Each structure stands twice: as structure tokens, then as C-alpha cells.
Amino acid sequence: MVTLSFREANLFILELRFSSSRFLNRAMLAQKRASNIMIKSKAWNWDLSIAPWWEEPAAEVYPLLFKWNKMGFKKFLDLGCGIGRHSIFFANNGFEVDAFDLGEEGVRKLDKLAKEKGLPIRSKVSDMLSLPYEDNQFDCLVAYHVIYHSDDDGIKKVISEIKRVLKKDGEAYVTFNSQNSDSYKDLDNKHITENTIVKEKGHEAGIPHYYAKKENVENLLKDFEILEFSYKEEYYPDYMGAHYFVLVKNTKQPLP
Ligand SMILES: C[S@@+](CC[C@H](N)C(=O)[O-])C[C@H]1O[C@@H](n2cnc3c(N)ncnc32)[C@H](O)[C@@H]1O
């Protein structure tokens, strides 16, 4: 008879859970490929959760403001604006700002703040899978912790939309979730494909998240020139989140 120590038994159970979840993932992946349907978008509800940092511009956008100002850029898009911290920041500093988000609550909060501050920000409720703008509209855009709220097909679609709305030589700052993040490895989250999970708990329940490896990011952005590429891990008491931060330039022409 085989006897297992407590630790070995736990490892065995964990391995069983992992292989069965991998089996289910493969089955779901096959089903998704057969249907070829992009996962349905789901917005944040900004009436439910506002951590204070969502009200202040992210540290990474300060150098972008100085750079884009110096380059004479004017037309800025806040893609997936949330409650609009970056819209307000760029509008306050002389940019012509368009902003949109799938979540009505976020856009409503942005509109209220923009009105109070007398800033002429054009806002919309819309889905990033089909950007509500004409081709070659923007000098620059920020999509901060947004475009990964989709699946493998969805994120490709958003990136092609970014290329479409950016002017030639325009620049985009985009962030990606890394597969090193704890939430990617959390077996309680439902895997839709190898790279995509849908969170089941908390304020992001039902919202898809695409997790990339470095090579996925490079491949997704192959039609752009990569100007800056960085990786950062953020530690919280109960969680580590890892992201790629990428600045790209729309130099390359679209593929025929
Ligand atoms: C982590 S928040 C970031 C908000 C903002 N970019 C910021 O940095 O403050 C992610 C935002 O993406 C929005 N979002 C998710 N899926 C979306 C979609 N398909 N189209 C547009 N916005 C979406 C959410 O509603 C949410 O406001």
C-alpha cells in the first residue's frame, strides 16, 4: 500500500485539480474555436468600486504628456477611460480629448467632473472592439489596463482598431496583463482559453482578462514600432499583479 505524507497528498490533490482544469480548458478552447465567437465584453461598474488610485493619473503618463506636448501632438484618446483620470489630466494640459468606456457609470462620473472643471471632453459609452471614431483621427492615445479585458481574438481586434484610428506616426501607450500575475494561476478563475480567464469573484466577476507572455505582446504589436517596453510587478498584501507597459508608434503601413 502507498502512504502519502500530508504535503504529498496536498500536492497530489493540487495536481489533480490542475490537470482537470487543463482538460476542461482544452474542451472549452475547442468549443470556442468551433464557434469562433469573441467573448462578450463586460464593463466595470464604477458605482461599486473605486480605489483612490483610479482618481489620480498613473505615474507612467507624466513623461508621455511632456513628450507628446513637445512633439506638437494635440488630439488625444483615452481608450477605456474609466472615471477619466487621464482624460482630465490631458485636457487640463491643453490636449483635445476624446474618451470612451463601456461602463456608463464611469463615463457619467467623467462628464460630471469635466463639467465642474469646465473642460470640453467629448465622451461616449462604447465598446473597444469597434472604436466609434473615423480612421487617422488621433495623434496619441492611452489604453491603461483596458485592452486585456477581452480574449485572444478580442485583443487582436482592439489593436487593429488602435492602428486604424491613430494617425501615421501617432503613438499609443498600452498595458497588458502578464501570465506571471497571481490571478492567472488562481484555479478558482475560469479559463476560457489558454490565455484568457473570466474572473468569478469580486468587483470584476464576469469580466474577461487576457494574460500575455512577452512574446504574445511582441506578436500582437508586430504592425507597430515598439519605442518602449517595460515589465512591472506590483505587490499587495494578498496578491501580486504583473503587467507589460508598451509605447508604440504607428510607423508601419497596414498589411495588404
Ligand atoms: C482597470 S479600469 C482602467 C480605467 C482607466 N483606463 C484608468 O486607467 O483609470 C478598466 C476599464 O476598462 C473598461 N472596459 C472593459 N471592457 C471594455 C470594452 N470592451 N470597451 C471599453 N471599455 C472597456 C472598464 O469598464 C473599465 O472602466
Side-chain angles (χ1 to χ4, degrees):
M1 193 174 105
V2 182
T3 38
L4 297 177
S5 69
F6 182 69
R7 188 171 172 275
E8 285 166 338
N10 268 330
L11 282 173
F12 180 64
I13 290 167
L14 200 64
E15 175 55 28
L16 266 182
R17 281 187 70 191
F18 199 59
S19 7
S20 66
S21 104
R22 269 203 302 241
F23 174 76
L24 279 175
N25 289 344
R26 272 202 291 273
M28 279 191 270
L29 182 58
Q31 192 186 17
K32 182 179 171 292
R33 284 213 179 106
S35 63
N36 200 24
I37 293 170
M38 249 181 261
I39 196 162
K40 202 168 163 6
S41 301
K42 184 162 188 268
W44 275 30
N45 181 343
W46 287 92
D47 283 342
L48 295 183
S49 65
I50 302 190
W53 56 81
W54 295 116
E55 295 176 6
E56 295 297 326
E60 296 84 4
V61 304
Y62 286 82
L64 291 174
L65 176 90
F66 301 136
K67 178 178 197 259
W68 290 343
N69 225 342
K70 201 166 172 195
M71 292 169 75
F73 283 179
K74 268 273 167 263
K75 295 200 72 187
F76 169 84
L77 174 64
D78 191 356
L79 190 159
C81 59
I83 57 174
R85 56 184 178 153
H86 299 133
S87 304
I88 300 286
F89 178 64
F90 279 87
N92 250 334
N93 286 285
F95 282 73
E96 284 172 36
V97 175
D98 280 271
F100 79 93
D101 197 284
L102 187 60
E104 287 174 21
E105 300 82 7
V107 174
R108 199 183 343 103
K109 286 178 198 285
L110 165 61
D111 288 346
K112 185 167 175 282
L113 198 58
K115 197 168 169 202
E116 279 164 20
K117 291 180 179 285
L119 293 169
I121 294 169
R122 286 181 296 264
S123 68
K124 284 182 187 172
V125 174
S126 193
D127 193 328
M128 65 185 173
L129 295 176
S130 173
L131 297 187
Y133 307 104
E134 304 279 304
D135 300 359
N136 307 311
Q137 281 292 300
F138 298 101
D139 296 310
C140 48
L141 69 80
V142 167
Y144 196 99
H145 290 3
V146 180
I147 65 167
Y148 54 70
H149 285 313
S150 192
D151 59 9
D152 306 58
D153 294 337
I155 198 162
K156 277 189 207 147
K157 179 74 171 44
V158 183
I159 290 170
S160 73
E161 283 288 272
I162 289 177
K163 187 160 181 70
R164 180 180 69 73
V165 301
L166 265 188
K167 291 181 187 169
K168 167 128 178 22
D169 292 336
E171 295 186 9
Y173 192 74
V174 284
T175 66
F176 294 81
N177 249 335
S178 157
Q179 290 191 6
N180 296 335
S181 297
D182 285 345
S183 52
Y184 179 71
K185 298 170 194 153
D186 182 350
L187 295 178
D188 286 340
N189 285 329
K190 190 165 78 186
H191 274 253
I192 300 299
T193 70
E194 188 191 337
N195 294 338
T196 308
I197 64 157
V198 175
K199 291 200 179 173
E200 302 218 314
K201 290 177 288 191
H203 75 277
E204 289 194 302
I207 298 185
H209 287 71
Y210 172 91
Y211 290 82
K213 297 191 197 91
K214 185 171 181 269
E215 56 266 34
N216 297 132
V217 177
E218 287 162 347
N219 189 39
L220 284 165
L221 295 172
K222 65 184 184 317
D223 294 330
F224 293 85
E225 181 186 348
I226 294 182
L227 301 178
E228 285 172 23
F229 193 106
S230 62
Y231 167 80
K232 195 160 78 188
E233 295 184 350
E234 285 165 313
Y235 288 83
Y236 302 94
D238 54 349
Y239 170 73
M240 189 280 277
H243 293 93
Y244 298 102
F245 296 80
V246 194
L247 177 65
V248 293
K249 187 170 181 166
N250 192 18
T251 39
K252 296 187 188 168
Q253 290 305 305
L255 297 172

